[in-house]
Amino acid sequence: MSTTRSSRLLPDLAPWRSSRDFRLLFFQGAITFFTSVMAMIALPLQIKHLTDSPLAVGAMGAVELVPLVVFGLYGGALADAIDRRRMILLSEAGLGVLALVLLVNSLLPNPLLWPLYVVAAGVSALAGLQRPALDSMMARIVPHEQMTAAAALNALRYQIGAIAGPALAGLVVAYAGYPAAYGVTVAGFALSVLLCTRLAPAPPSPDAQRPSLRGIAEGARYAWSRPVLLGTYAADLAAMFFAFPNTIFPFLADELDAVWALGLMYSAGAVGSLALGMTSGWTSRVRRHGLFVVCGAAVWGVAIAAAGWFTDIWVVLACLAVAGAGDMLSGLGRATIWNQTIPEELRGRLAGIEVLSYSVGPQLGQVRAGTVAGWTGTRPAFWSGGLMCVAAVAALSVMLPKLVTYDADRDEDALRRRAAKGRAAKGRAAKGRAAKGRAEEDRAGEETGPLPTTTS
């Protein structure tokens, strides 16, 4: 009995077994993330090494934000208009080329500064283009009822990389230098491109529109008209804006006389997310995914507030880990609702809006945390932001009750999307049977040879 119960907690591997393309994208994503972390760590360190200026390092974030927003929205419209496999493949190849630029620059006798900013902006733009295509692919290649399991596996992959990747990257940069770090990134993208070439084509719908501002606006109007979707975006923005304190972790470590624990603060959230991911099997059996979004965001806010209230460093780290688990739970709910309800012809554009949801929130949250900490002190910035997050989530629950009551087995959009996927699967199966029948007829004709002719 205990074995059965424990097995139900383990991650649900059904998407791996049912979808070859999911397996390819899973390993492609793992390789890309793990190796690109090398460049993510090396790039700001190299800017610091060349300039010794905190302002110069911070400027990297400024050059990244605008391309991510602009190309994220355009990438969403593009993902609805062209083959998504092609988008993923070309953008992955482009990221590999940018990594090669970093490698070549690092090998110069006197590495240049300006290419580092150009590459940072280019990576942000290509990531903005690619992410909607990747996100919208999941809704196509994974069976409808396995969306939560797929989201959990993807999050688990990310959390493992977020914990192990930076630690390994730090060692490589410290002991082997920048060229070695960038070289690993180039090799990772080369392998990733090879995996992408094996993906099945993902063409747009026959009536797909050309990418345009009107098309982007159409996607925004659809999201605005769906309270459930609107609630997922709003809950994520509220959680990140009010309670994303990463930028003031160094100041909290100083106040707690625990500078040695600064790295643990940054990784504690990932540890909490990983713990939930490793025991996420039960989430596949839940249908009320809106509760995931609301409860997860509320847990995040409460835990961040507690981290600013307690003074024992180990309690603070435990609170940050709980916050990470809450964020993971909310993320599972958001991803499942998005993939289960958004029509195929709008999936790319809505994925572009999702880019704004998870990129703008943390950026603004860091500004809020730093500003409030300057006015009131570091710890009040933590607990006040956490409490405001909880209040905002509670208000959203009242204003958008359909988010709380969302049920995958009853929601009209989810049922419509499930039926559409079922029809598409039957159509592909019918085409496969027809092609197999024609092939068998051709083989039979070859075996019997031509019919005899008669002469008078």
Side-chain angles (χ1 to χ4, degrees):
M1 180 67 71
S2 60
T3 302
T4 303
R5 288 178 179 176
S6 62
S7 63
R8 291 178 179 177
L9 292 175
L10 296 176
D12 185 354
L13 301 181
W16 265 358
R17 293 190 289 267
S18 62
S19 175
R20 171 182 174 273
D21 279 354
F22 178 81
R23 293 193 297 272
L24 287 172
L25 285 177
F26 183 91
F27 289 113
Q28 173 267 331
I31 292 169
T32 297
F33 182 81
F34 201 80
T35 55
S36 62
V37 165
M38 298 286 175
M40 291 166 56
I41 297 296
L43 189 56
L45 285 177
Q46 190 174 19
I47 293 176
K48 177 180 179 296
H49 177 76
L50 292 175
T51 66
D52 196 28
S53 168
L55 181 60
V57 177
M60 190 178 74
V63 303
E64 290 175 333
L65 181 58
V66 174
L68 181 62
V69 172
V70 173
F71 286 91
L73 288 173
Y74 180 69
L78 203 61
D80 285 334
I82 68 174
D83 190 305
R84 291 167 185 168
R85 170 187 174 273
R86 185 184 179 195
M87 277 190 68
I88 296 170
L89 179 60
L90 292 178
S91 56
E92 198 74 358
L95 289 168
V97 171
L98 292 177
L100 185 61
V101 171
L102 291 176
L103 174 60
V104 172
N105 183 62
S106 68
L107 293 172
L108 296 176
N110 296 299
L112 303 173
L113 177 62
W114 65 264
L116 304 184
Y117 291 109
V118 172
V119 168
V123 168
S124 188
L126 286 174
L129 286 174
Q130 185 189 73
R131 186 60 184 262
L134 278 171
D135 287 350
S136 55
M137 276 281 282
M138 288 298 157
R140 174 176 290 194
I141 65 177
V142 176
H144 186 85
E145 65 278 3
Q146 296 175 10
M147 289 300 176
T148 305
L153 290 174
N154 283 332
L156 187 62
R157 175 198 69 194
Y158 172 81
Q159 299 303 337
I160 292 174
I163 294 172
L168 180 60
L171 292 175
V172 171
V173 172
Y175 293 100
Y178 300 115
Y182 296 140
V184 171
T185 304
V186 171
F189 277 116
L191 181 56
S192 176
V193 168
L194 290 177
L195 290 175
C196 289
T197 60
R198 301 184 60 192
L199 291 170
S205 59
D207 57 346
Q209 304 175 5
R210 292 175 60 87
S212 64
L213 290 176
R214 186 171 66 178
I216 295 173
E218 180 185 355
R221 284 194 298 270
Y222 177 86
W224 185 262
S225 69
R226 296 300 192 273
V228 175
L229 286 179
L230 194 61
T232 63
Y233 299 136
D236 187 40
L237 283 171
M240 294 298 100
F241 175 72
F242 288 118
F244 190 78
N246 289 26
T247 192
I248 56 175
F249 277 164
F251 300 95
L252 181 64
D254 286 341
E255 289 193 15
L256 298 179
D257 195 24
V259 177
W260 57 269
L262 179 59
L264 296 178
M265 288 183 179
Y266 282 110
S267 62
V271 171
S273 297
L274 179 62
L276 182 64
M278 294 298 293
T279 57
S280 62
W282 61 276
T283 61
S284 297
R285 297 184 290 275
V286 177
R287 319 308 297 165
R288 300 284 299 279
H289 304 113
L291 288 177
F292 279 9
V293 176
V294 172
C295 294
V299 168
W300 164 269
V302 170
I304 292 297
W309 183 263
F310 290 105
T311 57
D312 185 279
I313 182 59
W314 294 108
V315 176
V316 170
L317 292 173
C319 291
L320 295 176
V322 172
D327 186 47
M328 170 81 164
L329 184 64
S330 183
L332 290 182
R334 293 194 304 271
T336 303
I337 291 174
W338 293 339
N339 289 325
Q340 283 187 343
T341 63
I342 298 174
E344 175 65 19
E345 64 272 13
L346 290 172
R347 190 66 191 89
R349 278 165 283 181
L350 271 294
I353 295 175
E354 292 158 23
V355 171
L356 299 184
S357 174
Y358 62 70
S359 62
V360 174
Q363 295 284 352
L364 295 178
Q366 293 191 80
V367 174
R368 186 216 68 86
T371 302
V372 175
W375 290 343
T376 65
T378 303
R379 293 175 62 195
F382 270 79
W383 59 256
S384 64
L387 294 179
M388 284 190 287
C389 169
V390 175
V393 171
L396 286 171
S397 301
V398 174
M399 296 169 59
L400 300 170
K402 287 189 176 181
L403 174 63
V404 181
T405 59
Y406 173 85
D407 188 321
D409 292 331
R410 297 180 181 179
D411 182 82
E412 292 182 0
D413 290 327
L415 294 175
R416 193 179 299 116
R417 175 69 179 140
R418 179 187 298 174
K421 289 192 72 173
R423 289 193 298 270
K426 289 180 180 178
R428 289 192 296 269
K431 289 181 180 179
R433 288 193 297 269
K436 183 179 180 181
R438 288 193 297 269
E440 291 177 349
E441 290 177 0
D442 292 341
R443 285 196 299 271
E446 293 173 356
E447 292 173 358
T448 57
L451 294 174
T453 58
T454 59
T455 59
S456 57

